[in-house]
Amino acid sequence: MASIENTEPPTKETAALTVKDDPPLGPDGKPLSKNALKKLLKDKEKAVKEQAKAERRAAEEAEKKARAANDPSKELYGPLEARHLASLPADVRNVFSLKRLEAGTTVLLGAFVYEVRSQSAKLHFLRLRKNGQTVQAVVAAGDKISTQMAKWAASITPESYVKVVGTVAETKEEIQSSSIKQVEIQVSRIYVESAAPEQLALKPADAQNSDPGRPKVLLHTKLDNRVLDMRCEVATSIIDVADAVAQYFAEYLRSEDFKSINTPKLLGGASEGGSEVFEVGYFGAKAFLAQSPQLHKQMSIAGGQERVFHIGPVFRAETSNTSRHMTEFTGLDLEMTIIRDYQEVLDIVEGSLIAIFKGLTKNRVQEIETIGKQYEAEPFVFPEDGKVLRLKFTEGARLLQEAGYDQSENEDLSTETEKALGALVKEKYKTDIFVLDKYPLSARPFYTMPSESDPGYSNSFDIIMRGQEICSGAQRIHNYDLLISRINAQTEKKVDPEGEGLKAYIDAIRVGAPQHGGVGIGLERVVMLFLGLPNVKLASLFTRDPSRLAP
């Protein structure tokens, strides 16, 4: 039988199939067609090539293992294993401490890899980040470090977490790209504790966009990828400033004989009326998230706790998508008994804020400078002597009227007039903070004490920073009959004194309470305005607003 000729020239692997022998038979016992034979030849050729490729891979893997077996540095790098931990030195908790160590000191540093830069096949630089601060680590092939180890170190993906052992070395020139500019770490061991993927939703190097060469990252992208965002130096510095604000607030109040309390966040009823409250299910009943610790602070005073403060979450169901509002924020609250008049409360509140500002300007210089590189703002101006400017509400209204604003002396400020008043005060009095005292009674909650000298106004105040309110405070009504009268006089946000949200509070006043007053300050707003940030969400660890419940 004549053979079926193949129109393509035979390859070495298929030559045996192209001799003039009987062609292969198909499943039906008949000779294969020309197309079927052609497919068979291609399949066999593909199989031969795959086998050759597998053999090459196996040979390369064997060679790699052989090199690894002969690598003198093989125990000094790679994925971190338990056996590596036994001989590690003490961990460096703060990279700034490296500057205080003598050259040649051996250290262990656990850190994220910020970026990798290779100068040659044998010399690589890793910028390591810990708590937002960076230091340069050098991996150089030589007597103790193999070329394989140096090459492996250069392949570590950015944002992987590593443990590095090395010696502290002084540099001839300052390292401009790192927070620590005078010293570097000469690596002797490096292990990857957790490897990051090559593709990330956000690069912290881009999030810190003070470098004009980097792409700008939008706020919602930062908030969506907050874990990566907070690794950058600027975000970490803001977190550190927020931590310091709470610290200095608490330290000052403790020095004034205040004690810390914790108030419930689940309430049986809305405490202040209105619709700005979150309702949640509670074992088949309704409960509400606390709009503030206000009433429980007052109940603590009625319970004989003369000076108390509270740092904790506050919930507001406000559909305000602005740069200064969130649905959950951190409240800095205090409440205290009054001996003579409610100006005593103002003295304490002002004292706590000045303590915060002085603490930040003295102890957080590095963080403030770092933040200022990305978010430029004029330094916050406050009175070093602690004497904060106090204006009566009517005085503030007249300043606005003189500047051409239609501001009544009996109506609350709007966002626009609040900012305008801040600018006017800054120009006239050279300060970024002031008190607006004696607010119209109609603009205040039912528990606010009316002014004895002018019943149309109240013993209450706001404190303004850079033209924005950071807190409201007041003397509270401690007289039961007056409190009930004020509740009954409410025309807006009417409340029920027998309701589950108020009854216990009303009873606490009924059984006797001293004169008292207090304030609620928004921590994130203080941070935003002190630093001059464009949005309060940047001052929040994990933001909650009308459109965000994650991460």
Side-chain angles (χ1 to χ4, degrees):
M1 181 181 294
S3 64
I4 299 175
E5 295 186 1
N6 183 10
T7 58
E8 296 182 358
T11 64
K12 180 180 178 181
E13 290 82 0
T14 61
L17 294 173
T18 63
V19 297
K20 296 184 182 298
D21 294 329
D22 289 342
L25 303 178
D28 58 359
K30 295 180 181 181
L32 292 176
S33 66
K34 185 177 180 180
N35 287 338
L37 180 58
K38 186 176 181 180
K39 183 177 183 303
L40 176 64
L41 294 176
K42 286 189 175 182
D43 289 345
K44 284 183 174 292
E45 186 174 0
K46 183 179 178 181
V48 170
K49 288 181 178 179
E50 288 294 331
Q51 182 179 354
K53 189 184 293 185
E55 290 173 354
R56 284 196 301 272
R57 282 199 298 264
E60 290 171 357
E61 188 65 27
E63 184 182 353
K64 184 178 177 181
K65 288 182 178 180
R67 286 200 307 268
N70 297 321
D71 183 359
S73 305
K74 63 183 179 181
E75 290 298 318
L76 304 180
Y77 69 97
L80 183 66
E81 299 178 10
R83 59 193 173 86
H84 296 138
L85 299 173
S87 59
L88 295 180
D91 188 19
V92 174
R93 308 304 301 173
N94 186 327
V95 293
F96 280 117
S97 65
L98 294 171
K99 295 187 293 185
R100 298 191 294 270
L101 299 178
E102 292 184 6
T105 303
T106 299
V107 296
L108 164 67
L109 184 67
F112 290 99
V113 175
Y114 188 52
E115 61 183 2
V116 180
R117 179 169 55 89
S118 297
Q119 185 164 312
S120 68
K122 294 186 176 182
L123 181 60
H124 309 282
F125 299 92
L126 280 67
R127 189 144 56 119
L128 305 179
R129 187 198 320 105
K130 186 179 183 72
N131 291 329
Q133 309 302 320
T134 55
V135 64
Q136 178 171 278
V138 183
V139 184
D143 295 338
K144 296 182 180 180
I145 294 180
S146 64
T147 302
Q148 297 98 305
M149 176 176 173
K151 183 179 179 181
W152 179 87
S155 70
I156 298 173
T157 52
E159 299 312 315
S160 296
Y161 193 83
V162 297
K163 279 196 164 63
V164 170
V165 177
T167 54
V168 177
E170 295 180 354
T171 58
K172 294 180 180 179
E173 298 180 356
E174 286 192 349
I175 305 168
Q176 297 302 322
S177 60
S178 295
S179 306
I180 307 301
K181 303 182 183 300
Q182 298 84 11
V183 299
E184 63 186 12
I185 298 175
Q186 295 179 345
V187 176
S188 57
R189 285 185 275 171
I190 181 169
Y191 305 105
V192 171
E193 187 167 316
S194 179
E198 291 188 9
Q199 296 297 323
L200 296 171
L202 178 146
K203 295 179 180 178
D206 292 339
Q208 187 163 316
N209 57 14
S210 55
D211 181 356
R214 297 258 188 204
K216 287 193 177 294
V217 179
L218 297 177
L219 177 61
H220 72 83
T221 303
K222 291 184 177 186
L223 300 182
D224 287 344
N225 302 279
R226 183 59 169 151
V227 170
L228 289 170
D229 175 56
M230 73 170 69
R231 291 182 187 178
C232 78
E233 191 175 1
V234 170
T236 296
S237 295
I238 294 172
I239 292 169
D240 290 345
V241 168
D243 172 58
V245 168
Q247 174 190 344
Y248 300 142
F249 179 75
E251 287 177 351
Y252 174 81
L253 292 179
R254 288 190 186 281
S255 74
E256 295 289 338
D257 296 326
F258 281 74
K259 67 178 71 172
S260 174
I261 61 170
N262 293 298
T263 61
K265 304 300 175 283
L266 283 171
L267 306 179
S271 58
E272 298 182 35
S275 59
E276 299 169 357
V277 59
F278 288 108
E279 180 181 314
V280 296
Y282 194 74
F283 302 105
K286 291 181 180 180
F288 302 87
L289 296 182
Q291 294 165 283
S292 80
Q294 177 60 56
L295 302 187
H296 286 88
K297 287 189 303 175
Q298 290 187 248
M299 291 163 71
S300 298
I301 297 297
Q305 312 306 308
E306 294 198 340
R307 291 189 162 197
V308 298
F309 74 94
H310 173 273
I311 301 176
V314 175
F315 303 92
R316 299 285 170 84
E318 298 175 335
T319 54
S320 297
N321 293 289
T322 74
S323 62
R324 65 176 191 164
H325 287 95
M326 295 187 293
T327 54
E328 179 183 349
F329 62 89
T330 304
L332 305 174
D333 283 81
L334 68 87
E335 203 77 16
M336 57 183 281
T337 55
I338 294 171
I339 305 303
R340 295 178 178 83
D341 63 60
Y342 91 104
Q343 298 296 311
E344 297 165 20
V345 178
L346 258 178
D347 292 340
I348 289 291
V349 176
E350 292 173 358
S352 69
L353 290 171
I354 296 300
I356 289 170
F357 303 151
K358 285 185 175 181
L360 293 177
T361 53
K362 178 182 178 181
N363 303 317
R364 297 293 176 173
V365 175
Q366 177 68 41
E367 289 86 347
I368 293 169
E369 288 180 354
T370 296
I371 297 163
K373 292 176 183 177
Q374 183 164 347
Y375 301 107
E376 294 183 7
E378 292 292 325
F380 184 77
V381 180
F382 65 94
E384 292 282 349
D385 61 4
K387 296 179 180 178
V388 177
L389 173 67
R390 296 182 186 181
L391 294 175
K392 289 186 177 180
F393 187 88
T394 52
E395 293 175 313
R398 283 194 289 272
L399 276 177
L400 287 165
Q401 292 166 5
E402 291 168 4
Y405 290 90
D406 183 18
Q407 174 63 49
S408 168
E409 296 182 11
N410 297 301
E411 294 180 2
D412 201 355
L413 301 181
S414 65
T415 301
E416 179 190 4
T417 52
E418 192 175 79
K419 290 182 178 180
L421 183 58
L424 293 170
V425 168
K426 178 67 178 289
E427 182 180 2
K428 184 173 182 178
Y429 298 100
K430 313 303 179 189
T431 180
D432 281 317
I433 182 170
F434 66 96
V435 174
L436 201 57
D437 194 12
K438 297 287 185 180
Y439 259 72
L441 186 61
S442 60
R444 291 317 222 197
F446 64 88
Y447 46 71
T448 305
M449 180 67 78
S451 170
E452 290 184 1
S453 58
D454 190 342
Y457 289 85
S458 63
N459 291 350
S460 69
F461 59 89
D462 277 2
I463 296 183
I464 312 294
M465 286 178 63
R466 294 194 199 260
Q468 297 190 46
E469 171 214 332
I470 60 160
C471 69
S472 290
Q475 178 181 357
R476 325 299 188 184
I477 295 175
H478 62 282
N479 178 280
Y480 173 77
D481 293 332
L482 179 57
L483 182 61
I484 295 299
S485 174
R486 284 280 295 139
I487 289 175
N488 292 334
Q490 295 290 298
T491 57
E492 297 181 5
K493 291 188 176 182
K494 293 187 72 66
V495 295
D496 179 7
E498 294 298 317
E500 201 164 354
L502 282 181
K503 188 176 187 307
Y505 161 70
I506 299 296
D507 287 345
I509 303 300
R510 183 175 59 81
V511 297
Q515 289 190 93
H516 62 281
V519 72
I521 305 170
L523 182 148
E524 290 87 355
R525 258 193 212 183
V526 171
V527 173
M528 173 185 72
L529 295 168
F530 180 84
L531 296 173
L533 301 178
N535 197 302
V536 72
K537 297 175 181 66
L538 292 166
S540 173
L541 189 65
F542 292 101
T543 295
R544 292 294 176 263
D545 61 26
S547 61
R548 182 173 297 279
L549 278 172

